[in-house]
Amino acid sequence: MDVELVIAQASLALRERGERLTGPRRAVLAVLAASPGHLSAEQVFDGVSAVAPGVHRASVYRSLEALTAAGLVSHVHVGHQGARYHLADAGRNHLHASCQRCGVVIDLAPDALDAVAADLTANHGFRLDPSHVALSGICRECLKAM
Amino acid sequence: MDVELVIAQASLALRERGERLTGPRRAVLAVLAASPGHLSAEQVFDGVSAVAPGVHRASVYRSLEALTAAGLVSHVHVGHQGARYHLADAGRNHLHASCQRCGVVIDLAPDALDAVAADLTANHGFRLDPSHVALSGICRECLKAM
DNA sequence: CTGCTTGCAAAGTGTTTGCAGGCCC
DNA sequence: GGGCCTGCAAACACTTTGCAAGCAG
């Protein structure tokens, strides 16, 4: 993911909301853009600290919150672990599954839960937000090791 | 759910594991058996306190853990909220979806994710544990209120 | 300059653990 | 009466918040 592009988009999106693109927020975006995966808040904090020492942990949380509200970042809840963060997809967000043994998060196709979503709407009037929580199970590697 | 029956089963299941059916554990089972829904640990603690005052919050957590290990209780992780507990189904556990706005948990058919589970196995070698996390979305009532 | 943001520290949830005494079986 | 379990208190992980100073635009 191109950091420059992400930051340019962020500047616009934030300004539209009367907010600002600051050092800590820039660093958070850079860390997320540089990472292939899904980072915990602590991992984002570590990454930010490497790039911009002195940024406080609380600012990382507040930055993630602001960037989420602006539609630039998404988070996924993973079982009993904390949330994981990643840049929001341009269009539709992909889905996630996580291993309850080793914690790894794998990406799934955006349409993997479409049938379930339709079923929930029809039978329960419930609107599914499929990308907001990770499905839980055991990954390939852990299955081998058991 | 019949409390007497549950407690009798629990006594056996625990003894098989070299563990004991104690006052606090009995109270936890009674509270879960008396509740139709899915309780947070705090709600279980409140219920236990009403039946058996003096039981410590930590004992409720430890009881829930022990009863889970013995296969008598199940828990579901609900988004950023804490876990919810309920008596384990006799056979296959039902699934859950929770409202990210009001927190209500609704039960789903045990086979609601079968197609997804098959897909995950085939494409990622991932074994889904469908009852362990609640799907997330907005419930009917909250949709009306938006 | 205006006021959104930050750093700091402290408080808040939800949950776990070490320890000495207590109770189940 | 042996050893699993409990109550207590403190620690824990993760996250949020009040406040005064700081920086973006």
Side-chain angles (χ1 to χ4, degrees):
Chain A
M1 195 72 79
D2 180 36
V3 184
E4 298 304 324
L5 178 60
V6 171
I7 291 192
Q9 290 178 332
S11 179
L12 293 177
L14 287 170
R15 211 161 321 175
E16 242 172 42
R17 300 170 49 87
E19 301 181 357
R20 296 167 187 173
L21 181 57
T22 61
R25 293 179 180 183
R26 209 180 289 262
V28 166
L29 287 170
V31 169
L32 291 179
S35 162
H38 306 79
L39 304 177
S40 66
E42 193 66 20
Q43 289 173 319
V44 174
F45 173 66
D46 289 345
V48 167
S49 294
V51 175
V55 172
H56 198 273
R57 186 181 267 93
S59 295
V60 170
Y61 278 98
R62 282 188 284 222
S63 294
L64 287 169
E65 183 189 10
L67 293 169
T68 298
L72 299 156
V73 168
S74 295
H75 63 273
V76 195
H77 295 289
V78 178
H80 66 287
Q81 308 174 56
R84 305 297 189 85
Y85 298 85
H86 61 85
L87 292 179
D89 298 3
R92 201 175 172 188
N93 271 329
H94 59 269
L95 312 191
H96 310 84
S98 79
C99 179
Q100 54 196 222
R101 203 155 169 278
C102 71
V104 66
V105 176
I106 64 179
D107 290 341
L108 308 179
D111 64 359
L113 286 178
D114 280 3
V116 178
D119 175 61
L120 285 173
T121 298
N123 295 323
H124 298 92
F126 185 94
R127 184 165 69 207
L128 185 65
D129 177 5
S131 65
H132 191 236
V133 299
L135 296 173
S136 182
I138 311 281
C139 73
R140 194 197 306 267
E141 306 310 318
C142 285
L143 279 176
K144 278 188 209 157
M146 286 177 80
Chain B
M1 198 70 82
D2 181 36
V3 183
E4 298 304 322
L5 179 60
V6 171
I7 290 191
Q9 290 178 333
S11 179
L12 293 176
L14 287 170
R15 211 160 323 174
E16 242 172 43
R17 301 168 51 87
E19 301 181 356
R20 296 167 188 174
L21 180 58
T22 60
R25 292 178 180 185
R26 210 182 290 263
V28 166
L29 287 170
V31 168
L32 291 178
S35 161
H38 308 79
L39 304 177
S40 66
E42 193 66 19
Q43 289 173 318
V44 174
F45 172 66
D46 289 345
V48 167
S49 293
V51 176
V55 172
H56 197 272
R57 185 180 268 94
S59 295
V60 171
Y61 279 99
R62 281 188 284 223
S63 294
L64 287 168
E65 184 187 12
L67 294 170
T68 298
L72 298 156
V73 168
S74 295
H75 63 273
V76 195
H77 295 289
V78 178
H80 66 287
Q81 308 174 57
R84 305 297 189 86
Y85 297 85
H86 60 85
L87 292 180
D89 298 3
R92 199 174 173 190
N93 271 329
H94 59 269
L95 312 190
H96 311 84
S98 80
C99 178
Q100 55 197 218
R101 202 154 170 278
C102 72
V104 66
V105 175
I106 65 180
D107 290 341
L108 308 178
D111 64 359
L113 287 178
D114 280 4
V116 178
D119 175 61
L120 285 173
T121 299
N123 294 324
H124 298 91
F126 185 94
R127 185 164 70 207
L128 185 64
D129 177 4
S131 65
H132 190 236
V133 298
L135 297 173
S136 181
I138 311 282
C139 73
R140 192 198 306 268
E141 306 310 317
C142 286
L143 279 176
K144 277 188 207 155
M146 284 175 81

